[in-house]
Amino acid sequence: MSNSGMEQRQHNPLLQATALHFSYPGRPVLTNFSAAISPGVTLIRGGDGCGKSTLLRLLAGALPMQSGQLHIHGIDLAAQPESYKAQVFWAEPRTDTFDQMTVPDYFERQRRSQASFDDAVLADVVKGLSLSEHLHKQLFMLSTGTKRKVFMAAGLASGAAVTLLDEPFAAVDATSIGFILDRLQSATRAHSRAWILADYLAPDGLALAQVIDLGD
C-alpha cells in the first residue's frame, strides 16, 4: 500500500475508541485506552491475561465499558447501542449460547442480524473450510476447531463493518488456516471493512494495517 493510501485510511477510521477504562475487581485491565481502527486487518497482540479478549468484548458492546466512548461510522455505542452492534460481527469462541442450534440455524441467525450478509461468500467459505459434512450437526457436537470454523465462516460472510476474531486459528487444522489467511489477505485490500484479530503473534505473511500491543 502506498503511504498516501495508508494515511487516507488512518484519517478515516471505521472504529474509534476513546479513553476506555475497564477493571475486574482488584485488577485493572485497560486504562485510558484509545485507538483508531482503519479498514484492513488490525492485530491486538499480547500475552495471557493482558486483556485481549476483554478489549474485543468491549469493542463488540458485549461487555459494558466503565468509561470512555466507542463509535463505528460515527455511531455512538452509548447513545445508539443497537445501531452500533448491527455494525459488528462478534462470536465469543468459548460460548455455549448457540450449542443447541444446527450449523444452518446459526448461519440463519447471523443472516437475520447482518444486513450485508453474503450467501455466495458463505457457500464458498463452507466449502473452503470443509464444513459441508457438519451442516446437519448441532454446535455442541462439533470439535473446538470446527466450531471456530463455523464462527469464522459467519464472520467472513457477515459483511459487517467491524469483524472481531479472538484467537481465530486456535485448534484449527493447517489447511483451514491457510484458507482463512488467504481470505484475510484479500481483506487487507478492502476499504469498507475492519478486521480485528486478538492473538499472541502476528499471522505469518499477513499484511496488517496496524498492531495494537497490550504487552506480555
Side-chain angles (χ1 to χ4, degrees):
M1 181 185 299
S2 69
N3 288 338
S4 61
M6 178 64 78
E7 288 170 1
Q8 183 176 3
R9 287 189 177 200
Q10 289 173 341
H11 293 157
N12 295 281
L14 290 182
L15 187 155
Q16 184 76 48
T18 306
L20 300 187
H21 289 259
F22 186 85
S23 298
Y24 293 109
R27 184 168 71 89
V29 179
L30 297 170
T31 302
N32 200 33
F33 174 88
S34 297
I37 307 295
S38 300
V41 181
T42 291
L43 173 68
I44 297 174
R45 196 206 72 80
D48 286 331
C50 72
K52 300 188 301 297
S53 297
T54 297
L55 179 54
L56 288 190
R57 295 183 189 109
L58 290 168
L59 298 180
L63 184 66
M65 56 188 171
Q66 293 161 348
S67 64
Q69 293 182 315
L70 285 168
H71 296 85
I72 295 176
H73 286 312
I75 299 170
D76 184 348
L77 172 60
Q80 300 172 278
E82 295 308 315
S83 296
Y84 177 98
K85 292 176 185 179
Q87 304 293 315
V88 177
F89 175 85
W90 161 247
E92 172 68 62
R94 300 162 192 84
T95 186
D96 58 5
T97 300
F98 310 112
D99 275 5
Q100 299 307 311
M101 292 184 180
T102 64
V103 175
D105 287 341
Y106 175 74
F107 290 149
E108 178 59 28
R109 178 187 176 94
Q110 300 307 317
R111 186 181 290 111
R112 292 197 305 267
S113 65
Q114 300 289 342
S116 298
F117 195 94
D118 191 323
D119 282 302
V121 172
L122 180 65
D124 175 66
V125 176
V126 164
K127 180 179 179 181
L129 294 180
S130 302
L131 290 173
S132 300
E133 65 190 271
H134 301 289
L135 292 179
H136 66 287
K137 298 178 182 177
Q138 293 169 284
L139 266 66
F140 80 87
M141 302 169 69
L142 304 178
S143 68
T144 298
T146 301
K147 184 185 285 191
R148 284 180 183 267
K149 292 197 294 183
V150 169
F151 294 153
M152 176 62 71
L156 288 166
S158 70
V162 176
T163 300
L164 305 168
L165 304 170
D166 193 359
E167 296 182 27
F169 310 113
V172 175
D173 61 278
T175 299
S176 294
I177 290 174
F179 179 87
I180 293 166
L181 286 173
D182 180 69
R183 293 302 183 272
L184 289 176
Q185 188 61 48
S186 297
T188 66
R189 299 186 289 273
H191 293 272
S192 60
R193 298 184 68 180
W195 300 77
I196 305 175
L197 280 60
D199 218 328
Y200 300 96
L201 298 170
D204 288 340
L206 184 62
L208 297 172
Q210 62 181 312
V211 176
I212 297 170
D213 197 330
L214 299 184
D216 295 317

